[in-house]
Amino acid sequence: MTAIQMEALDFRYLLLEYYKKLDINENELSVLLMIDHLRSQKNIFITPDLLSLKMNLTTDQLDEILVKFLDRKFIAYTIDQNGNMKLSLKPIRKILYEEFQNNLTKEAEMINDVQKSNALKNIYQVFENELNRKLSPLEISLVGEWVDNGLSDETIIAALREALAKGRKTLKSVDRILLQWQAKDDIEKTGGYTTISERWNKDIDKTIEIAKAKWIDDED
C-alpha cells in the first residue's frame, strides 16, 4: 500500500478497530487519540505535561505510557528540517495499516473458501445424481483439482453432461472434455500457445491436434 493509500484510511477508525488486538488498554488508547488530536491542532512536540493539561491522567502515568509506546515502536520522536523535535505517530499508523491489510486478506480467503465449498457441494450433488452413485475418494480429489484450477461448477457440470450425452459415465471422460475446452480456449486467445501442453507434456503441434480432434470414448 502506498503512502497516499495509507493516508486515505482513517487513523482513528483503525485504532479503535484494532487496539485490543495490539494489546493497548483504554488509558493508552485515550492517549493515542489525544496525541492525534493535538497534532491536528499543529502541536508537534507533545510531552506528558502537555497531555496532562487535556487529560485526567497524571504526568507520571502519561510519562510511563509514552515510554511504553516508544519501547513498542508505536511512536517516535524526530527532528524536522527546522531543528524542531516532534512526536510522530507514523510507526503505529504503519502497524495499523498492515493489520488492516492482513484482515482484508483473511476475509478474502474466507470468502474464497466459502465459494469453493459451495461449488464443490453443488458439483458433488449433481455428479452423484447424474451418475446415480457416490463419488470415490479419487474422483472427489479430481473434482477438487478442477475447482482449484479455477474451473467453475457450471463449466464442470456442463462437461459432465456432454460426456453423458456421448454415453460416457466416468470422470475421466469429463476430465478429457475439460482439457479439450481449455486447450481450445487457450489457442483462440493466444493464437497457438496453451498451458495445457505442460500438463500433457506434449509439444505445441500435438496439443493443437488434440484440441481440434473430437474425443473418441474408447478407454473409460
Side-chain angles (χ1 to χ4, degrees):
M1 182 176 289
T2 66
I4 294 176
Q5 289 174 318
M6 288 192 296
E7 289 299 326
L9 294 174
D10 185 77
F11 170 71
R12 295 188 178 192
Y13 166 79
L14 294 179
L15 183 59
L16 291 169
E17 189 73 14
Y18 298 117
Y19 80 92
K20 182 178 180 180
K21 190 169 185 180
L22 296 181
D23 196 26
I24 295 171
N25 62 40
E26 276 67 26
N27 277 349
E28 294 164 351
L29 172 65
S30 66
V31 172
L32 286 168
L33 291 171
M34 182 58 69
I35 291 172
D36 184 57
H37 173 68
L38 290 171
R39 282 183 52 81
S40 71
Q41 296 183 332
K42 309 303 180 184
N43 295 288
I44 60 172
F45 184 54
I46 300 170
T47 64
D49 289 332
L50 178 58
L51 289 167
S52 68
L53 297 176
K54 294 281 189 178
M55 306 183 71
N56 292 323
L57 297 173
T58 67
T59 302
D60 287 342
Q61 289 174 313
L62 291 163
D63 184 64
E64 183 179 343
I65 289 172
L66 291 182
V67 169
K68 182 177 180 179
F69 287 166
L70 286 167
D71 289 341
R72 297 191 64 186
K73 295 182 172 32
F74 285 172
I75 63 173
Y77 283 100
T78 60
I79 298 176
D80 64 21
Q81 58 185 4
N82 297 319
N84 299 316
M85 182 173 287
K86 62 180 183 179
L87 189 154
S88 172
L89 289 173
K90 283 185 179 179
I92 193 169
R93 284 181 183 273
K94 183 177 180 181
I95 292 171
L96 290 170
Y97 297 144
E98 289 174 351
E99 192 64 41
F100 174 72
Q101 288 181 297
N102 291 338
N103 192 58
L104 285 182
T105 300
K106 289 178 182 178
E107 288 181 356
E109 290 173 350
M110 288 177 62
I111 291 172
N112 288 337
D113 287 344
V114 170
Q115 291 175 337
K116 178 181 176 181
S117 176
N118 290 337
L120 287 173
K121 287 179 182 177
N122 186 34
I123 295 167
Y124 295 153
Q125 182 176 1
V126 172
F127 269 55
E128 290 176 356
N129 288 341
E130 295 285 352
L131 299 175
N132 197 28
R133 64 176 175 80
K134 293 289 185 181
L135 297 179
S136 71
L138 286 177
E139 289 173 328
I140 290 173
S141 176
L142 180 56
V143 171
E145 181 181 335
W146 293 336
V147 174
D148 286 339
N149 287 336
L151 294 173
S152 69
D153 49 344
E154 292 88 352
T155 298
I156 294 168
I157 291 169
L160 167 66
R161 287 178 173 149
E162 179 165 320
L164 292 175
K166 295 180 179 180
R168 313 311 301 178
K169 296 184 177 181
T170 69
L171 268 70
K172 184 176 180 181
S173 294
V174 178
D175 193 45
R176 286 176 175 178
I177 291 169
L178 289 170
L179 286 171
Q180 181 189 26
W181 287 354
Q182 184 64 59
K184 284 183 177 179
D185 186 58
D186 285 355
I187 290 167
E188 289 174 0
K189 289 179 179 178
T190 64
Y193 175 73
T194 172
T195 56
I196 300 301
S197 61
E198 297 175 5
R199 176 171 172 177
W200 287 336
N201 194 26
K202 299 178 186 296
D203 60 34
I204 188 64
D205 293 333
K206 185 64 175 177
T207 300
I208 295 173
E209 179 184 344
I210 292 172
K212 290 180 178 178
K214 290 184 178 180
W215 291 115
I216 299 175
D217 298 306
D218 57 357
E219 50 180 296
D220 295 323

